[in-house]
Protein backbone atom coordinates (compact mmCIF):
# COMPACT_ATOMS: atom_id res chain seq x y z
CA UNK A 1 0.00 0.00 0.00
CA UNK A 2 1.07 3.60 -0.62
CA UNK A 3 2.35 5.51 2.39
CA UNK A 4 1.01 9.00 3.05
CA UNK A 5 2.41 11.69 5.33
CA UNK A 6 1.74 15.39 5.75
CA UNK A 7 1.91 18.43 8.00
CA UNK A 8 -1.34 19.91 9.33
CA UNK A 9 -1.31 23.32 11.06
CA UNK A 10 -4.02 23.94 13.66
CA UNK A 11 -4.61 27.70 13.86
CA UNK A 12 -7.07 30.17 15.32
CA UNK A 13 -7.42 33.01 17.78
CA UNK A 14 -6.63 32.42 21.47
CA UNK A 15 -8.79 30.07 23.52
CA UNK A 16 -10.83 28.42 20.75
CA UNK A 17 -9.71 24.87 21.58
CA UNK A 18 -6.68 24.21 19.37
CA UNK A 19 -4.72 22.30 22.03
CA UNK A 20 -7.83 20.44 23.20
CA UNK A 21 -8.42 19.29 19.63
CA UNK A 22 -4.87 18.03 19.16
CA UNK A 23 -4.91 16.17 22.48
CA UNK A 24 -8.23 14.58 21.51
CA UNK A 25 -6.88 13.47 18.11
CA UNK A 26 -3.74 11.99 19.67
CA UNK A 27 -5.60 10.34 22.53
CA UNK A 28 -3.24 11.79 25.12
CA UNK A 29 -2.06 15.11 26.51
CA UNK A 30 0.74 16.73 24.53
CA UNK A 31 -0.35 20.40 24.58
CA UNK A 32 -1.28 22.05 27.87
CA UNK A 33 -4.71 23.61 28.24
CA UNK A 34 -6.45 26.13 30.48
CA UNK A 35 -9.32 28.58 30.30
CA UNK A 36 -6.79 31.40 29.92
CA UNK A 37 -6.14 32.75 26.43
CA UNK A 38 -2.60 32.30 25.08
CA UNK A 39 -1.88 29.17 27.10
CA UNK A 40 0.07 27.75 24.14
CA UNK A 41 3.24 29.74 23.47
CA UNK A 42 5.20 27.44 21.15
CA UNK A 43 4.58 25.32 18.11
CA UNK A 44 3.90 21.84 19.49
CA UNK A 45 4.02 18.90 17.13
CA UNK A 46 1.73 15.91 17.62
CA UNK A 47 2.27 12.83 15.45
CA UNK A 48 -0.44 10.26 14.74
CA UNK A 49 0.30 7.19 12.65
CA UNK A 50 -2.52 4.93 11.49
CA UNK A 51 -1.50 2.17 9.12
CA UNK A 52 0.03 3.75 6.03
CA UNK A 53 -0.96 7.32 7.00
CA UNK A 54 1.06 9.62 9.26
CA UNK A 55 -0.49 12.92 10.33
CA UNK A 56 1.90 15.55 11.72
CA UNK A 57 -0.28 18.10 13.51
CA UNK A 58 1.24 21.41 14.60
CA UNK A 59 -0.56 23.10 17.50
CA UNK A 60 0.10 26.85 17.46
CA UNK A 61 -0.24 29.87 19.76
CA UNK A 62 -3.44 31.84 19.31
CA UNK A 63 -3.05 34.61 16.73
CA UNK A 64 -4.03 37.84 18.48
CA UNK A 65 -4.14 41.58 17.90
CA UNK A 66 -1.12 43.38 19.34
CA UNK A 67 -2.37 46.29 21.40
CA UNK A 68 -1.72 47.86 24.80
CA UNK A 69 -0.54 45.16 27.23
CA UNK A 70 -0.44 42.54 24.45
CA UNK A 71 2.41 44.08 22.49
CA UNK A 72 5.39 42.68 24.34
CA UNK A 73 8.20 40.65 22.80
CA UNK A 74 6.52 37.43 23.95
CA UNK A 75 3.26 38.36 22.18
CA UNK A 76 5.14 39.09 18.97
CA UNK A 77 6.94 35.76 19.33
CA UNK A 78 3.65 33.87 19.67
CA UNK A 79 2.15 35.49 16.57
CA UNK A 80 5.33 34.79 14.59
CA UNK A 81 5.35 31.16 15.75
CA UNK A 82 1.75 30.68 14.61
CA UNK A 83 2.35 32.35 11.25
CA UNK A 84 5.56 30.38 10.66
CA UNK A 85 3.65 27.12 11.12
CA UNK A 86 1.61 27.94 8.01
CA UNK A 87 4.65 27.65 5.76
CA UNK A 88 4.93 24.48 3.68
CA UNK A 89 2.03 22.64 5.32
CA UNK A 90 -0.20 20.26 3.40
CA UNK A 91 -3.42 21.27 5.15
CA UNK A 92 -4.68 23.84 7.66
CA UNK A 93 -7.39 23.38 10.28
CA UNK A 94 -8.78 26.83 11.17
CA UNK A 95 -10.79 26.73 14.40
CA UNK A 96 -13.47 29.21 15.37
CA UNK A 97 -15.89 29.25 18.30
CA UNK A 98 -19.58 28.46 17.69
CA UNK A 99 -21.54 31.35 16.22
CA UNK A 100 -19.08 34.12 17.12
CA UNK A 101 -16.84 35.85 14.61
CA UNK A 102 -14.33 38.25 16.18
CA UNK A 103 -11.78 40.76 14.95
CA UNK A 104 -9.08 38.21 15.77
CA UNK A 105 -10.83 35.54 13.69
CA UNK A 106 -10.67 38.05 10.84
CA UNK A 107 -6.93 38.54 11.40
CA UNK A 108 -6.40 34.77 11.15
CA UNK A 109 -8.50 34.61 7.98
CA UNK A 110 -6.44 37.39 6.41
CA UNK A 111 -3.21 35.53 7.17
CA UNK A 112 -4.66 32.43 5.56
CA UNK A 113 -5.22 34.39 2.34
CA UNK A 114 -1.53 33.86 1.56
CA UNK A 115 -1.68 30.10 2.22
CA UNK A 116 -2.01 27.82 -0.79
CA UNK A 117 -2.75 24.66 1.19
CA UNK A 118 -6.41 23.63 1.59
CA UNK A 119 -8.07 25.12 4.68
CA UNK A 120 -10.66 23.17 6.66
CA UNK A 121 -12.88 25.25 8.95
CA UNK A 122 -13.64 23.57 12.29
CA UNK A 123 -16.48 25.25 14.20
CA UNK A 124 -15.81 24.24 17.81
CA UNK A 125 -17.90 24.00 20.99
CA UNK A 126 -21.16 23.40 19.09
CA UNK A 127 -22.30 21.29 22.05
CA UNK A 128 -22.71 24.56 23.98
CA UNK A 129 -25.18 26.02 21.49
CA UNK A 130 -28.52 26.56 23.23
CA UNK A 131 -30.41 26.92 19.95
CA UNK A 132 -29.16 24.28 17.48
CA UNK A 133 -31.21 25.89 14.69
CA UNK A 134 -28.66 28.72 14.63
CA UNK A 135 -25.89 26.43 13.43
CA UNK A 136 -26.81 25.82 9.79
CA UNK A 137 -27.31 29.52 8.86
CA UNK A 138 -24.06 30.31 10.66
CA UNK A 139 -22.14 27.64 8.74
CA UNK A 140 -23.48 29.07 5.50
CA UNK A 141 -22.48 32.58 6.59
CA UNK A 142 -18.87 31.73 7.52
CA UNK A 143 -18.59 29.51 4.45
CA UNK A 144 -18.97 32.59 2.29
CA UNK A 145 -15.83 34.18 3.79
CA UNK A 146 -13.48 31.82 1.94
CA UNK A 147 -13.51 28.78 -0.31
CA UNK A 148 -12.93 26.26 2.48
CA UNK A 149 -12.02 22.69 1.60
CA UNK A 150 -14.63 21.60 4.16
CA UNK A 151 -16.58 22.97 7.13
CA UNK A 152 -16.95 20.62 10.11
CA UNK A 153 -18.86 21.46 13.32
CA UNK A 154 -17.09 19.81 16.27
CA UNK A 155 -16.89 19.61 20.05
CA UNK A 156 -13.18 18.94 20.60
CA UNK A 157 -13.51 18.41 24.36
CA UNK A 158 -15.98 15.54 23.91
CA UNK A 159 -14.75 14.26 20.53
CA UNK A 160 -17.97 15.07 18.67
CA UNK A 161 -17.32 14.92 14.88
CA UNK A 162 -13.54 14.76 15.43
CA UNK A 163 -13.28 11.51 13.38
CA UNK A 164 -15.13 13.30 10.56
CA UNK A 165 -12.62 16.16 10.77
CA UNK A 166 -9.73 13.69 10.63
CA UNK A 167 -11.28 12.06 7.55
CA UNK A 168 -11.31 15.45 5.81
CA UNK A 169 -7.65 16.00 6.75
CA UNK A 170 -6.77 12.53 5.40
CA UNK A 171 -7.97 13.55 1.95
CA UNK A 172 -5.13 16.08 1.74
CA UNK A 173 -2.21 13.95 2.91
CA UNK A 174 0.27 13.59 0.03
CA UNK A 175 1.98 10.35 -0.92
CA UNK A 176 5.20 10.27 1.10
CA UNK A 177 7.32 8.09 3.33
CA UNK A 178 6.74 8.63 7.04
CA UNK A 179 8.98 11.31 8.53
CA UNK A 180 8.89 9.90 12.07
CA UNK A 181 8.93 6.42 13.64
CA UNK A 182 5.41 5.04 13.84
CA UNK A 183 5.46 5.01 17.66
CA UNK A 184 6.66 8.63 18.09
CA UNK A 185 3.96 11.03 19.27
CA UNK A 186 5.72 14.42 19.54
CA UNK A 187 8.96 16.19 18.67
CA UNK A 188 9.17 17.83 22.10
CA UNK A 189 11.57 16.64 24.80
CA UNK A 190 10.53 15.39 28.22
CA UNK A 191 12.15 18.52 29.72
CA UNK A 192 9.87 20.72 27.59
CA UNK A 193 6.77 18.73 28.56
CA UNK A 194 7.71 18.95 32.26
CA UNK A 195 8.08 22.75 32.07
CA UNK A 196 4.75 23.06 30.27
CA UNK A 197 2.93 20.97 32.88
CA UNK A 198 4.18 23.26 35.66
CA UNK A 199 3.10 26.32 33.66
CA UNK A 200 -0.33 24.80 33.05
CA UNK A 201 -0.92 24.30 36.78
CA UNK A 202 0.13 27.91 37.51
CA UNK A 203 -2.25 29.21 34.83
CA UNK A 204 -5.12 27.18 36.19
CA UNK A 205 -4.48 28.33 39.77
CA UNK A 206 -3.96 32.06 39.38
CA UNK A 207 -5.83 35.17 38.29
CA UNK A 208 -5.78 37.17 35.09
CA UNK A 209 -2.50 39.06 35.38
CA UNK A 210 0.16 36.67 36.60
CA UNK A 211 -0.03 33.87 33.99
CA UNK A 212 1.18 36.18 31.21
CA UNK A 213 4.15 37.42 33.23
CA UNK A 214 5.32 33.95 34.23
CA UNK A 215 7.44 31.28 32.58
CA UNK A 216 9.05 28.02 33.67
CA UNK A 217 12.60 26.79 33.14
CA UNK A 218 13.78 23.26 33.98
CA UNK A 219 17.10 23.51 35.79
CA UNK A 220 17.56 19.79 36.49
CA UNK A 221 16.12 16.72 34.76
CA UNK A 222 17.80 13.55 36.02
CA UNK A 223 16.33 10.20 34.99
CA UNK A 224 17.39 7.38 37.30
CA UNK A 225 15.06 4.82 35.73
CA UNK A 226 12.31 4.31 38.31
CA UNK A 227 12.67 7.87 39.64
CA UNK A 228 13.04 11.15 37.72
CA UNK A 229 14.41 14.14 39.65
CA UNK A 230 13.15 17.49 38.29
CA UNK A 231 13.92 21.01 39.50
CA UNK A 232 11.79 23.73 37.92
CA UNK A 233 12.25 27.49 38.21
CA UNK A 234 9.08 29.59 37.93
CA UNK A 235 10.03 33.09 36.80
CA UNK A 236 7.84 36.14 37.46
CA UNK A 237 8.36 39.87 36.92
CA UNK A 238 7.55 41.40 40.30
CA UNK A 239 8.03 40.60 43.97
CA UNK A 240 4.29 40.82 44.59
CA UNK A 241 3.69 38.12 41.97
CA UNK A 242 6.17 35.84 43.72
CA UNK A 243 4.22 36.27 46.96
CA UNK A 244 0.92 35.44 45.22
CA UNK A 245 2.43 32.38 43.56
CA UNK A 246 3.85 30.97 46.80
CA UNK A 247 0.63 31.64 48.72
CA UNK A 248 0.01 31.76 52.43
CA UNK A 249 2.44 29.41 54.22
CA UNK A 250 3.45 28.07 50.80
CA UNK A 251 0.11 26.34 50.25
CA UNK A 252 -0.40 27.49 46.64
CA UNK A 253 3.06 26.48 45.40
CA UNK A 254 2.63 23.10 47.14
CA UNK A 255 -0.66 22.50 45.32
CA UNK A 256 0.87 23.51 41.97
CA UNK A 257 3.77 21.13 42.59
CA UNK A 258 1.52 18.27 43.64
CA UNK A 259 -0.72 18.55 40.55
CA UNK A 260 2.23 18.97 38.17
CA UNK A 261 4.03 15.97 39.67
CA UNK A 262 1.00 13.68 39.20
CA UNK A 263 0.73 14.67 35.52
CA UNK A 264 4.48 14.22 35.03
CA UNK A 265 4.30 10.71 36.48
CA UNK A 266 1.55 9.83 33.99
CA UNK A 267 3.54 11.24 31.05
CA UNK A 268 6.93 9.82 32.07
CA UNK A 269 5.73 6.51 33.44
CA UNK A 270 7.98 6.87 36.51
CA UNK A 271 7.96 8.30 40.01
CA UNK A 272 8.86 12.02 39.99
CA UNK A 273 10.65 13.98 42.68
CA UNK A 274 9.76 17.61 41.85
CA UNK A 275 11.25 20.74 43.37
CA UNK A 276 9.81 24.16 42.50
CA UNK A 277 11.53 27.53 42.96
CA UNK A 278 10.21 31.03 42.30
CA UNK A 279 12.46 33.85 41.09
CA UNK A 280 11.83 37.49 40.12
CA UNK A 281 13.33 38.56 36.78
CA UNK A 282 12.01 41.98 35.83
CA UNK A 283 10.95 42.57 32.24
CA UNK A 284 11.75 39.09 30.90
CA UNK A 285 8.56 38.97 28.77
CA UNK A 286 9.57 42.07 26.80
CA UNK A 287 13.28 41.24 26.44
CA UNK A 288 14.07 39.36 23.22
CA UNK A 289 17.47 38.20 24.46
CA UNK A 290 15.95 36.86 27.70
CA UNK A 291 13.21 35.12 25.71
CA UNK A 292 15.76 33.32 23.53
CA UNK A 293 17.67 32.13 26.58
CA UNK A 294 14.38 30.77 27.98
CA UNK A 295 13.66 28.76 24.82
CA UNK A 296 11.37 31.20 23.00
CA UNK A 297 13.26 30.86 19.73
CA UNK A 298 11.68 30.33 16.32
CA UNK A 299 14.80 28.53 15.09
Amino acid sequence: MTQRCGFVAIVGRPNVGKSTLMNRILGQKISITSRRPQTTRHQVMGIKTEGEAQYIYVDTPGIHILEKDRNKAINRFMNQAATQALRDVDCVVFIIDRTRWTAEDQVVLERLARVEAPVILAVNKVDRLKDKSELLPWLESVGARRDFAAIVPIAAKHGTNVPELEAEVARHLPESVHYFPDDQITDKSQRFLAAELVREKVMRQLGDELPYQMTVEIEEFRDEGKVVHISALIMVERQGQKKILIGERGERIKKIGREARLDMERVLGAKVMLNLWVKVKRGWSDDERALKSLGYDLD
Side-chain angles (χ1 to χ4, degrees):
M1 291 180 65
T2 303
Q3 283 195 331
R4 295 184 176 274
C5 182
F7 287 86
V8 184
I10 303 175
V11 300
R13 64 174 171 83
N15 220 27
V16 288
K18 298 179 293 298
S19 298
T20 301
L21 174 63
M22 191 170 84
N23 291 341
R24 169 63 64 174
I25 288 171
L26 298 178
Q28 62 180 281
K29 185 182 212 170
I30 297 297
S31 285
I32 65 170
T33 61
S34 81
R35 294 181 181 179
R36 308 290 176 194
Q38 299 162 22
T39 300
T40 301
R41 289 179 176 174
H42 301 264
Q43 294 178 16
V44 179
M45 191 179 291
I47 305 154
K48 181 173 183 176
T49 305
E50 285 189 326
E52 300 303 310
Q54 185 172 84
Y55 307 75
I56 305 167
Y57 290 94
V58 185
D59 186 17
T60 63
I63 295 173
H64 53 287
I65 296 169
L66 298 176
E67 58 183 19
K68 297 179 183 176
D69 60 335
R70 295 205 301 178
N71 194 13
K72 293 185 175 182
I74 192 168
N75 299 99
R76 296 192 292 273
F77 167 85
M78 288 189 285
N79 272 354
Q80 288 166 6
T83 302
Q84 186 189 65
L86 294 169
R87 298 176 188 168
D88 302 321
V89 293
D90 301 290
C91 180
V92 176
V93 175
F94 171 25
I95 305 187
I96 62 173
D97 184 351
R98 286 167 288 176
T99 56
R100 262 183 83 219
W101 184 269
T102 70
E104 289 181 323
D105 291 321
Q106 186 63 32
V107 169
V108 180
L109 184 68
E110 289 167 4
R111 294 197 182 194
L112 290 174
R114 300 188 288 275
V115 174
E116 294 182 4
V119 177
I120 298 168
L121 183 68
V123 182
N124 195 23
K125 306 178 187 177
V126 294
D127 55 314
R128 297 187 190 175
L129 276 175
K130 292 179 181 177
D131 185 355
K132 302 295 191 219
S133 67
E134 294 177 0
L135 184 58
L136 188 57
W138 171 248
L139 296 180
E140 291 174 353
S141 169
V142 292
R145 294 177 183 270
R146 180 192 166 106
D147 184 16
F148 293 106
I151 300 176
V152 186
I154 65 169
K157 185 175 181 180
H158 304 292
T160 307
N161 281 354
V162 171
E164 287 78 0
L165 176 62
E166 291 183 83
E168 290 294 341
V169 170
R171 296 176 52 210
H172 304 291
L173 290 186
E175 290 186 12
S176 170
V177 297
H178 294 178
Y179 297 142
F180 296 93
D182 288 359
D183 59 351
Q184 186 170 344
I185 198 162
T186 185
D187 65 327
K188 294 300 185 185
S189 68
Q190 291 180 331
R191 289 180 75 104
F192 174 87
L193 296 175
E196 287 288 271
L197 287 172
V198 174
R199 194 166 62 81
E200 177 187 71
K201 304 314 173 192
V202 175
M203 294 193 77
R204 290 185 174 190
Q205 279 282 319
L206 298 176
D208 292 333
E209 180 186 6
L210 182 54
Y212 309 110
Q213 298 182 27
M214 171 275 303
T215 194
V216 178
E217 184 176 25
I218 301 297
E219 295 195 316
E220 178 192 31
F221 190 102
R222 184 161 41 90
D223 189 345
E224 296 182 348
K226 292 184 179 179
V227 181
V228 181
H229 295 266
I230 300 173
S231 293
L233 176 66
I234 304 173
M235 199 172 295
V236 295
E237 297 203 326
R238 295 199 300 274
Q239 193 66 36
Q241 295 169 343
K242 178 178 179 179
K243 187 176 179 181
I244 293 169
L245 185 52
I246 293 172
E248 191 172 346
R249 294 191 295 275
E251 288 302 315
R252 180 170 279 139
I253 196 74
K254 286 178 188 174
K255 184 174 183 182
I256 289 167
R258 186 165 56 248
E259 293 180 356
R261 178 180 56 79
L262 291 173
D263 267 10
M264 288 176 190
E265 290 180 340
R266 281 191 284 269
V267 170
L268 300 175
K271 183 174 176 60
V272 171
M273 301 295 288
L274 175 63
N275 287 311
L276 297 182
W277 312 92
V278 185
K279 177 183 176 182
V280 177
K281 183 176 175 65
R282 296 186 182 280
W284 71 265
S285 64
D286 203 21
D287 182 335
E288 292 186 4
R289 184 177 296 179
L291 287 171
K292 281 195 174 186
S293 73
L294 291 166
Y296 294 91
D297 192 339
L298 292 172
D299 295 336

PDB file of all heavy atoms in Angstrom, residues 2 48 123 140 143 152-153:
ATOM      1  N   THR A   2       0.336   2.346  -0.544  1.00  0.00           N
ATOM      2  CA  THR A   2       1.075   3.603  -0.625  1.00  0.00           C
ATOM      3  C   THR A   2       1.078   4.316   0.720  1.00  0.00           C
ATOM      4  O   THR A   2       0.029   4.500   1.343  1.00  0.00           O
ATOM      5  CB  THR A   2       0.434   4.520  -1.684  1.00  0.00           C
ATOM      6  OG1 THR A   2       0.404   3.829  -2.925  1.00  0.00           O
ATOM      7  CG2 THR A   2       1.244   5.802  -1.830  1.00  0.00           C
ATOM      8  N   LYS A  48       0.492  11.389  14.666  1.00  0.00           N
ATOM      9  CA  LYS A  48      -0.436  10.263  14.738  1.00  0.00           C
ATOM     10  C   LYS A  48      -0.237   9.387  13.507  1.00  0.00           C
ATOM     11  O   LYS A  48      -0.368   9.853  12.371  1.00  0.00           O
ATOM     12  CB  LYS A  48      -1.888  10.757  14.799  1.00  0.00           C
ATOM     13  CG  LYS A  48      -2.905   9.619  14.911  1.00  0.00           C
ATOM     14  CD  LYS A  48      -4.310  10.142  15.139  1.00  0.00           C
ATOM     15  CE  LYS A  48      -5.305   9.011  15.317  1.00  0.00           C
ATOM     16  NZ  LYS A  48      -6.661   9.512  15.624  1.00  0.00           N
ATOM     17  N   VAL A 123     -15.667  24.388  13.325  1.00  0.00           N
ATOM     18  CA  VAL A 123     -16.479  25.246  14.202  1.00  0.00           C
ATOM     19  C   VAL A 123     -16.641  24.512  15.531  1.00  0.00           C
ATOM     20  O   VAL A 123     -17.371  23.520  15.620  1.00  0.00           O
ATOM     21  CB  VAL A 123     -17.844  25.552  13.560  1.00  0.00           C
ATOM     22  CG1 VAL A 123     -18.659  26.483  14.459  1.00  0.00           C
ATOM     23  CG2 VAL A 123     -17.659  26.167  12.180  1.00  0.00           C
ATOM     24  N   GLU A 140     -23.358  28.490   6.840  1.00  0.00           N
ATOM     25  CA  GLU A 140     -23.485  29.071   5.497  1.00  0.00           C
ATOM     26  C   GLU A 140     -22.855  30.457   5.446  1.00  0.00           C
ATOM     27  O   GLU A 140     -22.195  30.831   4.470  1.00  0.00           O
ATOM     28  CB  GLU A 140     -24.960  29.141   5.093  1.00  0.00           C
ATOM     29  CG  GLU A 140     -25.582  27.767   4.858  1.00  0.00           C
ATOM     30  CD  GLU A 140     -27.073  27.848   4.602  1.00  0.00           C
ATOM     31  OE1 GLU A 140     -27.646  28.961   4.748  1.00  0.00           O
ATOM     32  OE2 GLU A 140     -27.675  26.809   4.267  1.00  0.00           O
ATOM     33  N   GLY A 143     -19.059  30.173   5.666  1.00  0.00           N
ATOM     34  CA  GLY A 143     -18.586  29.511   4.455  1.00  0.00           C
ATOM     35  C   GLY A 143     -18.399  30.464   3.296  1.00  0.00           C
ATOM     36  O   GLY A 143     -17.628  30.191   2.369  1.00  0.00           O
ATOM     37  N   VAL A 152     -16.553  21.715   9.218  1.00  0.00           N
ATOM     38  CA  VAL A 152     -16.953  20.625  10.107  1.00  0.00           C
ATOM     39  C   VAL A 152     -17.281  21.186  11.486  1.00  0.00           C
ATOM     40  O   VAL A 152     -16.408  21.735  12.152  1.00  0.00           O
ATOM     41  CB  VAL A 152     -15.827  19.572  10.233  1.00  0.00           C
ATOM     42  CG1 VAL A 152     -16.320  18.380  11.054  1.00  0.00           C
ATOM     43  CG2 VAL A 152     -15.333  19.121   8.869  1.00  0.00           C
ATOM     44  N   PRO A 153     -18.532  21.071  11.944  1.00  0.00           N
ATOM     45  CA  PRO A 153     -18.861  21.463  13.325  1.00  0.00           C
ATOM     46  C   PRO A 153     -18.365  20.380  14.279  1.00  0.00           C
ATOM     47  O   PRO A 153     -18.604  19.188  14.051  1.00  0.00           O
ATOM     48  CB  PRO A 153     -20.389  21.555  13.322  1.00  0.00           C
ATOM     49  CG  PRO A 153     -20.828  20.677  12.191  1.00  0.00           C
ATOM     50  CD  PRO A 153     -19.712  20.628  11.186  1.00  0.00           C
TER      51      PRO A 153
END
